[in-house]
Amino acid sequence: MPSTDNQLPFSPLRSFGRSLFRREHAHAIEPAKVQESDLERFQILVTNKFRILATIDLDDLLSVAWMQNLLDVFVECLEEFRLLLLKNKTLVSKPPVDRFVIEFYERTVKALDICNATRDGIERIRTWKKHLEIVLSALSSHQRAIGEAQFRRARKALMDMELAMLDEKETGSAFSRRNKSFGRHNSSKDNHRRLPGHARSLSWSVSHSWSAAKQLQSIASNLVAPRGSDIIATNGLAVPIFTMSSVLMFVLWALVAAIPCQDRGLNIHISVPRQYAWATSILSLHERILEESRKRDRRNSNGLLKEIYLMERCSRQLTDLADLAHFPLSEEQRVEVVQAVVDLTLVCDVFKSRLDPLERQVREVFRKIMYCQTEGQGFVGSTSNG
């Protein structure tokens, strides 16, 4: 992969020319300045990380492993962004930068609910895995012969799993109903532009009436690239804020696409000007995931996670075999059963080894967002209270 060190992807700021940038600040009252190298470094980080994510083969896109990589990238980008704001907290705490920062934090508050919904979705997958284990136990190759009794047991487990999936599609998950919702967002804004409230807990589930589609729509609302005047007025900080907001939006959208979630709606328009060097990779991934969701056998899926697709496909195949099978099984039917069992075993192995680490990563994303908010409240709110 070619190096981007000399490509200087920070084109939205550079398009105005260094002379204009410096001339504007020659007469500025605020002496604080943002190091252009810091701005460029953040853009290069996001560009390189998403370029690597975008090189994934179609077969592995939205696999559990790829989702783990995506969350790793998000945490790394958020940490670099947090340090950038901290380094320039004098500017961040004053207009007009504080307005852009507060809008970012308002989006992260809504992101916390999606983290909790994702955790619920992982718990649902664990429930499905238990049904799959019964199927594998019944149809295991260790059996001397697969007879009608084994098929009957496997078919019951498959039907129980299918009913659980249908119930979650139509009425919402039992995991979502068992706990209270987070309560109302703090939507009021005073003249001091305080940071939004962040009373969230990863031990709580989202409410029964909560909608992932509406939450994503709310996060995407008014997410537009900064104008040239905004870039100049904020010493260029409007650009990394927009960049991190776009990364947040895409990662949350991908989580909702992949993991079972209440009211999964993926028709969210992600608009990023292509002069941002990272835009090509994010827009490409967005389009590829949308294409997957439009495929006939994926339209009604509980989630676009690769392993969920394999589980649903093998389950349908075994259910059809159970309905049509005559005992003893023909050689062709026996081969089909063995192959389906092999595929389901691979899926179960992935769930067994990777679901817990995936959930820990979601928790880490939640904690990192909370920490970023708390730290930001310290220096964004400092001048408003003074």
Side-chain angles (χ1 to χ4, degrees), residues 104-223:
F104 170 75
Y105 286 133
E106 288 173 346
R107 290 186 170 92
T108 62
V109 168
K110 298 168 185 176
L112 298 178
D113 285 348
I114 292 182
C115 288
N116 278 328
T118 301
R119 190 211 59 167
D120 284 347
I122 293 172
E123 190 63 27
R124 295 174 212 175
I125 296 173
R126 288 196 181 101
T127 300
W128 303 341
K129 173 177 165 289
K130 292 176 182 177
H131 293 299
L132 290 183
E133 288 171 344
I134 296 173
V135 174
L136 293 178
S137 174
L139 302 180
S140 171
S141 59
H142 298 301
Q143 302 276 356
R144 290 186 177 180
I146 301 176
E148 188 173 358
Q150 287 82 11
F151 252 95
R152 193 159 50 241
R153 184 181 174 213
R155 192 178 189 286
K156 182 181 183 304
L158 290 170
M159 291 298 295
D160 288 344
M161 184 178 70
E162 184 178 352
L163 287 172
M165 290 180 168
L166 288 173
D167 180 63
E168 286 157 7
K169 282 182 182 179
E170 295 172 1
T171 64
S173 168
F175 302 107
S176 304
R177 295 194 294 270
R178 70 185 176 192
N179 292 323
K180 295 180 180 179
S181 66
F182 288 122
R184 298 189 183 99
H185 293 303
N186 181 15
S187 58
S188 62
K189 299 183 179 71
D190 58 25
N191 294 330
H192 297 305
R193 303 284 295 167
R194 289 180 297 181
L195 281 179
H198 54 271
R200 293 293 187 272
S201 168
L202 197 58
S203 64
W204 287 0
S205 300
V206 294
S207 68
H208 178 42
S209 61
W210 184 83
S211 164
K214 291 179 180 178
Q215 195 80 339
L216 287 174
Q217 196 67 56
S218 177
I219 294 170
S221 177
N222 298 320
L223 179 55

Side-chain angles (χ1 to χ4, degrees), residues 62 64 66-68 70-71 74 111-119 121-122 125 212 216 247-262 264-266 289 302-305 308 358-359 361-363 365-366 369:
L62 292 178
V64 176
W66 188 84
M67 294 301 299
Q68 290 181 286
L70 178 66
L71 293 180
F74 175 79
L112 298 178
D113 285 348
I114 292 182
C115 288
N116 278 328
T118 301
R119 190 211 59 167
I122 293 172
I125 296 173
L216 287 174
V247 168
L248 175 72
M249 179 68 232
F250 174 76
V251 171
L252 296 175
W253 179 83
L255 280 174
V256 170
I259 307 295
C261 205
Q262 287 175 224
R264 291 172 55 251
L266 303 184
I289 293 171
N302 282 271
L304 297 180
L305 198 69
I308 291 179
L358 179 62
E359 183 178 19
Q361 285 179 284
V362 174
R363 289 179 179 273
V365 167
F366 186 99
I369 290 174

Side-chain angles (χ1 to χ4, degrees), residues 20 116 168 191 283 316 377:
L20 174 61
N116 278 328
E168 286 157 7
N191 294 330
L283 292 175
R316 285 194 298 267
Q377 189 172 32

